[in-house]
Each structure stands twice: as C-alpha cells, then as structure tokens.
Amino acid sequence: MNSKELRKAWIDFYERNGHVNIGAASLIGDGTTGVLFNVAGMQPLMPYLLGKQHPMGKRLCNIQGCIRTNDIESVGDSSHVTFFEMMGSWSLGDYFKEERTKWTYELLTDVFELPIERLATTVFEGDETAPRDEETAKLKEMVGFLPENIFYLPKSENWWELDRGPCGPDSEIFYITDTKPCGPNCTPACDCGHYVEIGNDVFMQYEKVADDKYVLLSKKNVDTGWGFERILAFLNETGDVYLTDLFKNAIEILEEASGKRYKEEEKSTISMRIIADHIRTSVMLLGDTNHLVPSNVGAGYILRRLIRRAVRHARNLNISTKVFEELAINFIDNVYGEFYPNLVQSKDFILAELNKEISKFEKTINLGMKEFDKVILRLSDKGLNTIDGESSFKLYDTYGFPIELTQELAEDKGFTVDMNGFEEKFREHQEKSRTVDTGKFKGGLESAGEMETKYHTATHLLNAALKRVIGPEVHQRGSNITAERMRFDFSCDHKLSEEEKKKTEDLVNEWIKQDLKVSYETMSKNDALKSGAECMFIEKYPDEVKVYSIGDVSKELCGGPHVEHTGVLGHFKIKKEESSSAGVRRIKAILTEE
Ligand code: SER
C-alpha cells in the first residue's frame, strides 16, 4: 500500500461506517491550548469534544498534519519525524469502547492486513483519577488480540491530555518489530525499539480544568489518532519511514547530490534523514494556510532552527544547499500537493522564503564555525568543557546560531553549554536594546511575551480603526494572538473593500506614529459601561475591571497587559481579510519593523 492508497483506505473505512471527512486544519496552534503547533488531530476539535455540537455530525474523520517539536532531537533514527500526519476519527458522544475496539481490530487485520502476532495493545491500569479499564482489555481479547500482547500500564503511559481540556484513559497500539526485546520485563512502555507505537484510541470522558483536577464530561467521546508514516512503513515492511514513498525521492536526491548511499554509514544516513525531515516540515509550515516565516520568536524560531539545522547537515554531507529547493519542489509537486492545495498555491512563496533563510544563515555559518572552533580550543586549553554564556551568545547574536545548534555542536565535542549564562547575556542585551536604539538588531531578541503584548495593543487600535472606517456598529467577536501574528474577528456584514482595508491600515499606522500613551484606570463594571468604553464579554470579568485608553482614540475594558506607548509597535500590516462566520469577518495582521 503506498501513501495515497493508505489515505484512501482510512477515509473509505470511516465513511463506510458513517463518518464525515472534515479535512485538515492549520498546523499552527491557534493559541487556545498553550502549544505553538497543532500536536494532535483532536486539537482543532476541542470545543466539540467538550460538548459543542459539530456541524458535520457526531462521527468525524480526517488526516491531520501535526508538528511535535519535542521530537526534533530524536530525528535521525528510522521512525522519528517532526511533521507527521495523524489519521483520525472521532465519536462525539456517539459510539464508545465496543465499536472502537471492533473497528481497531478490523482496520489492523482486514484493511491493513497486519499479522496479529505483530500487534500489541495497552490499556489504563487505573488510579485515583479513573478506574482500571478492564472493559477495553476484555473487548480487545474478544475481538482477537493475543492475551499475552495486552498490557495494563499506568497514567504516565496510558492517558491522553493536553494542558487543559478534554482527556481520558487511552488504549495504544504497537507494532512488534524484529528488534530484540531489551529483557524479560520489556513492555510497550519501553523505548528499546521492540514495540513501536502506531496508534492511540482515547476514551475521552473527562475535562482537565486545573492541574490534577478532572471533571466528568456530559458525553463520552472517542478520539482516535493513528500514525500515518509509521503505519505506512510497517505496511511496506520497510521498518523505516524514510524508505516509504513519502521520502523515497527526497532520499534519492540526497544520495545523488552526496554520492553516498542511504544506510551506507550511520553519520551520513542521519544527516540525510534530518535534512529530508526538516525541509519537509519547513515546506509544510511556510505553505501553511497561516504562512509561518522564520523569526527569533515562538513558532517562527522553530522554523528557523529547522532550516538552519538542515544547512548544517548539508555541510556534513558535503552538499550544496541548492539541493534544498529541489527537495522542496519534490515534496510540493510529487508528494503533498494533491492533498494540500495550499502548498501548490504558495509554491513561489515557500521557495523564496526558504532560500532567503538559507542565504541569511550561509552568509555567516563559515565564520560562525570558525568562531565555534576557536571557543572550543580556548576552553580546552584551560581544561574546561563548558561553553560560557558570552561565547554562546556571540554565536547566536553575531553568527545566527540558534542556541540549540550550539548545544548540539558542543555535544559532538563532549562539551556542554552554560544555559543560565546564555540566558543572562540574552536578557542583558534585551535591556540594552530597549533603552538604546541599537540599529544592528531591533526586534530580533524580543521574547514571545513582548510580541504578544504589542499585538494586544494593536488589537485595540485595529478595533478603533474599524469603527471609524466601517461604522460604530463594528464590535469585536473574538481575537487570537501569537508571538507571530494577530487574528481579529469582528461584526460586519460585508467583505472589506481594498479601500476600506487600506484606510484601516493607514489609520492604525498613523496612531502608531503618533506614539500615543497607553494607560488604564481601575473601576467597577457599571462605571466602565457608563464611561463609554468598549465592553465586550463583560460577563467574563470580575466586578472590578481595568479600562485601557490609547490616547483618545480607543477606550476598552481589558485585562492587559499592553505596551506603554504605541510607537514601539513598528508597522502594522493586514495580511488577510476573510469571512469567519455569518456576519463576522476576520482580519489577520502582523507587525513588522519597518
Ligand atoms: N489525541 C491522541 C494522540 O494524539 C489520539 O489522537 O495520541
């Protein structure tokens, strides 16, 4: 089964069983779950898992791209990737354990034709949060799983949750590989490679409302997420995701460029996998519907790290980074374009941004590597093996080495990095650039929190500008801010004309230029209403509220925080204006330096 056939088999199976394919959402987290990226297929469905009615019904399925950045360091082996697709299906208060277990078995053994001896499964062993899941264990045995391959495991292994939101005990599925078990007590909890996780069925019956505090949901859901790449690898008995048709061409391109064979020797194989993975993920992020670009904060920093790490591994393979463009085109044209039309539409943008970031880094990497070698030599001479904050900050600041890259290079040499020292230098610099106009570096070192504060203030300005350009009937309907951009939903019955957009943008920029003072007063809700302040979602606020004023152009009830003067916002740019829902429009906007 190739990747296209697997996509079809998953969706066909669920459609046959009454599910609706809801398609994939953006890879960039919407800020509501405390994570930068979409890490699971269930993430965009949070409100519906908590009880809201989904417009497409109670049985849903899709194939959703996910990014898990905690896996960056693990990329290089045969199964880890930073971007992966999750084949998902959901019961929103509809079927539960019985149907789920039956379908899991049917999919694995009938549709995928995986031998049952190769499959293991786990269930929750129970604790004070929720009972031991004997029901699922019995059902698993009844449908045909081998009793010796069913394991009870604790919460650390068999419970799915994000920081807050819908959660519950889960039942995972593992492929049993040819790698020898590490000992007589080897279980799927062990990462020796004997058991590789390929899927997870979560029985979502709880909502996590605070640390260690769970409440029962009114409806029981099932959240299923199975790993597309890994299943593809086992279906084709490659045991290596980089040998599936998703990566086949990419690896061939790298083999040809380097003159080395994949798997010929460990070091170059690791570099090939890292480059193939990181360029694939970069293509997906740059071409995402929310268009991420490399930067020094938040999600953009991860993208920068991926591209720069790939550049470094190109050096290991002794190949030119020109090959990256070929890799990107291959992923867009041959592998993903058919399923992600946004990649095809944004092809020029993806290639341009990728090349821009590569050349930015390449301008300094040679000098940076020389500097790095000098640091190592100097410290070795002194009998030291920790890179101090000053040196690692210089590599970051002057040569564009993400700190993680320095850590990785250091590790190769048997060194560590003094992270406290680095952070101290970072903060010192931040202080300086706040008080002195450093020209060399504005905005580059801002923390995600500072950017979010700026976007927060820009939201108030945008709200005020829209009221003037369109009319006082415009009200905020929602907003979402990340360190990279703002999204603002507002009531309006028509698509904004080019002229309206331009006027709004100009007005916000004019107010930024005027460097208006931002201040607040604390008052009762009633006084806030009387003061004429914009009071959206007033019921969510405590009795005593803050009313923020920006010069005399905006007055809004808000919890803050904000910047002190609008002048620091830079330049405001509307990137997109679109419909959000009936009578509600959505603006996506960014702040840039000039
Ligand atoms: N949310 C679960 C997971 O990510 C199943 O989709 O493992």
Side-chain angles (χ1 to χ4, degrees):
M1 209 184 260
N2 65 28
S3 62
K4 289 182 184 168
E5 287 160 343
L6 177 57
R7 283 180 201 282
K8 188 167 169 347
W10 181 262
I11 299 296
D12 282 355
F13 178 86
Y14 281 99
E15 285 183 342
R16 260 200 319 278
N17 287 297
H19 294 65
V20 178
N21 180 7
I22 54 169
S26 163
L27 291 171
I28 323 287
D30 67 2
T32 54
T33 46
V35 280
L36 293 174
F37 297 107
N38 200 347
V39 297
M42 53 74 73
Q43 208 171 304
L45 290 171
M46 297 268 259
Y48 308 102
L49 290 160
L50 289 174
K52 191 174 164 194
Q53 206 172 340
H54 194 285
M56 311 289 257
K58 292 182 184 169
R59 295 184 180 198
L60 311 175
C61 66
N62 74 0
I63 297 178
Q64 171 68 49
C66 300
I67 303 241
R68 291 195 181 167
T69 50
N70 48 357
D71 281 345
I72 292 184
E73 311 304 332
S74 312
V75 175
D77 68 9
S78 61
S79 65
H80 281 91
V81 279
T82 48
F83 164 86
F84 69 98
E85 286 176 283
M86 198 180 263
M87 301 190 288
S89 70
W90 292 273
S91 157
L92 301 175
D94 191 358
Y95 59 83
F96 205 46
K97 293 183 178 171
E98 213 175 305
E99 287 87 340
R100 180 64 261 158
T101 309
K102 194 177 87 196
W103 287 338
T104 292
Y105 184 77
E106 205 177 313
L107 266 164
L108 291 167
T109 57
D110 287 358
V111 181
F112 301 157
E113 296 179 1
L114 294 170
I116 193 64
E117 315 74 58
R118 286 281 185 182
L119 298 168
T121 185
T122 60
V123 291
F124 183 48
E125 74 173 20
D127 67 7
E128 59 291 346
T129 334
R132 187 175 172 85
D133 195 0
E134 278 170 7
E135 188 188 350
T136 304
K138 272 200 200 107
L139 286 166
K140 289 259 158 126
E141 198 174 327
M142 227 162 70
V143 294
F145 280 90
L146 304 178
E148 64 272 27
N149 287 343
I150 301 176
F151 298 81
Y152 282 97
L153 291 177
K155 193 170 184 180
S156 56
E157 312 297 325
N158 269 75
W159 183 277
W160 166 264
E161 67 181 28
L162 290 172
D163 192 33
R164 294 286 181 270
C167 58
D170 62 32
S171 173
E172 298 188 325
I173 300 125
F174 292 80
Y175 189 85
I176 304 173
T177 69
D178 290 330
T179 306
K180 295 237 165 334
C182 56
N185 297 328
C186 183
T187 71
C190 168
D191 57 12
C192 68
H194 182 57
Y195 297 98
V196 175
E197 188 198 335
I198 53 172
N200 191 5
D201 297 340
V202 189
F203 302 113
M204 284 191 165
Q205 311 153 68
Y206 303 91
E207 180 182 358
K208 186 175 184 188
V209 289
D211 292 344
D212 288 324
K213 190 157 187 283
Y214 300 86
V215 293
L216 260 183
L217 289 173
S218 57
K219 287 186 201 146
K220 293 176 177 172
N221 311 296
V222 185
D223 157 42
T224 290
W226 291 20
F228 182 66
E229 285 81 355
R230 287 187 183 181
I231 291 185
L232 192 63
F234 291 123
L235 282 178
N236 290 289
E237 291 174 3
T238 66
D240 179 340
V241 298
Y242 296 91
L243 287 175
T244 64
D245 64 298
L246 298 170
F247 281 109
K248 194 173 161 286
N249 290 348
I251 295 294
E252 275 171 21
I253 292 170
L254 291 169
E255 283 185 326
E256 192 166 315
S258 64
K260 298 202 166 101
R261 307 286 305 161
Y262 181 69
K263 286 203 164 166
E264 184 178 287
E265 41 122 357
E266 201 185 352
K267 200 167 168 229
S268 54
T269 303
I270 290 175
S271 290
M272 284 185 192
R273 287 171 176 159
I274 289 176
I275 296 170
D277 171 80
H278 289 8
I279 296 302
R280 183 178 71 144
T281 304
S282 303
V283 164
M284 289 296 182
L285 289 174
L286 290 163
D288 187 84
T289 45
N290 276 324
H291 284 315
L292 190 68
V293 286
S295 75
N296 270 345
V297 288
Y301 181 63
I302 304 283
L303 175 56
R304 170 157 287 169
R305 258 176 81 187
L306 289 171
I307 298 174
R308 294 191 175 195
R309 193 161 183 248
V311 172
R312 177 167 87 78
H313 282 275
R315 295 166 62 91
N316 282 0
L317 277 182
N318 226 343
I319 58 174
S320 154
T321 51
K322 289 209 172 48
V323 118
F324 289 3
E325 180 161 317
E326 207 182 321
L327 291 175
I329 292 172
N330 163 62
F331 284 127
I332 301 167
D333 288 355
N334 306 327
V335 191
Y336 290 104
E338 193 180 331
F339 308 97
Y340 292 87
N342 46 301
L343 298 181
V344 180
Q345 280 153 15
S346 316
K347 187 170 167 182
D348 292 347
F349 173 84
I350 298 171
L351 300 180
E353 288 295 325
L354 185 65
N355 285 330
K356 205 155 93 186
E357 182 63 16
I358 295 168
S359 54
K360 237 190 221 172
F361 189 41
E362 283 198 319
K363 274 197 195 118
T364 57
I365 185 174
N366 281 336
L367 293 171
M369 290 304 291
K370 273 194 198 134
E371 175 69 20
F372 177 83
D373 290 341
K374 260 199 249 160
V375 170
I376 295 291
L377 212 63
R378 194 178 66 229
L379 294 170
S380 306
D381 279 353
K382 292 188 193 154
L384 301 171
N385 63 358
T386 303
I387 301 184
D388 54 285
E390 184 141 2
S391 306
S392 57
F393 184 73
K394 187 170 178 196
L395 284 164
Y396 172 89
D397 177 22
T398 314
Y399 303 100
F401 278 31
I403 184 64
E404 295 79 5
L405 184 59
T406 304
Q407 280 178 308
E408 221 177 274
L409 290 167
E411 206 181 306
D412 285 351
K413 304 263 181 201
F415 276 63
T416 54
V417 178
D418 170 12
M419 283 306 288
N420 288 336
F422 172 79
E423 275 155 24
E424 203 176 299
K425 287 285 153 202
F426 191 104
R427 265 195 306 275
E428 255 173 42
H429 189 97
Q430 226 169 351
E431 280 304 316
K432 265 190 232 150
S433 44
R434 211 174 280 144
T435 45
V436 186
D437 180 359
T438 48
K440 67 169 180 147
F441 215 88
K442 257 188 294 168
L445 284 178
E446 270 154 344
S447 69
E450 283 171 346
M451 269 324 281
E452 283 167 17
T453 300
K454 285 187 180 177
Y455 276 119
H456 203 160
T457 307
T459 300
H460 285 217
L461 291 180
L462 174 60
N463 196 4
L466 286 167
K467 278 182 197 304
R468 284 176 178 65
V469 175
I470 295 164
E473 69 281 8
V474 167
H475 289 291
Q476 177 174 344
R477 286 281 172 261
S479 94
N480 173 271
I481 287 169
T482 69
E484 309 293 332
R485 55 110 182 108
M486 58 189 274
R487 205 175 72 195
F488 185 73
D489 291 353
F490 57 101
S491 49
C492 175
D493 61 4
H494 65 274
K495 182 174 172 52
L496 264 52
S497 65
E498 284 308 314
E499 197 190 338
E500 283 172 325
K501 269 197 290 188
K502 172 100 179 49
K503 271 193 185 159
T504 307
E505 211 172 68
D506 288 350
L507 203 50
V508 172
N509 282 318
E510 179 56 35
W511 291 334
I512 293 176
K513 229 188 266 156
Q514 288 171 7
D515 198 20
L516 302 170
K517 188 168 159 44
V518 184
S519 58
Y520 72 85
E521 273 180 88
T522 308
M523 57 181 88
S524 72
K525 274 193 197 180
N526 242 344
D527 286 345
L529 282 166
K530 276 193 242 150
S531 76
E534 174 88 343
C535 291
M536 296 310 292
F537 317 114
I538 193 154
E539 65 288 350
K540 285 197 192 163
Y541 287 86
D543 292 338
E544 185 136 287
V545 295
K546 280 183 187 171
V547 170
Y548 271 89
S549 298
I550 307 181
D552 58 6
V553 304
S554 153
K555 199 170 196 188
E556 270 194 47
L557 182 152
C558 174
H562 286 274
V563 300
E564 289 173 8
H565 284 265
T566 58
V568 296
L569 299 188
H571 184 80
F572 173 82
K573 177 133 198 57
I574 294 180
K575 296 292 280 186
K576 205 167 185 183
E577 192 272 339
E578 62 192 358
S579 162
S580 166
S581 59
V584 178
R585 306 291 305 173
R586 170 170 289 181
I587 281 182
K588 289 183 184 154
I590 56 166
L591 292 169
T592 59
E593 283 166 32
E594 69 277 348

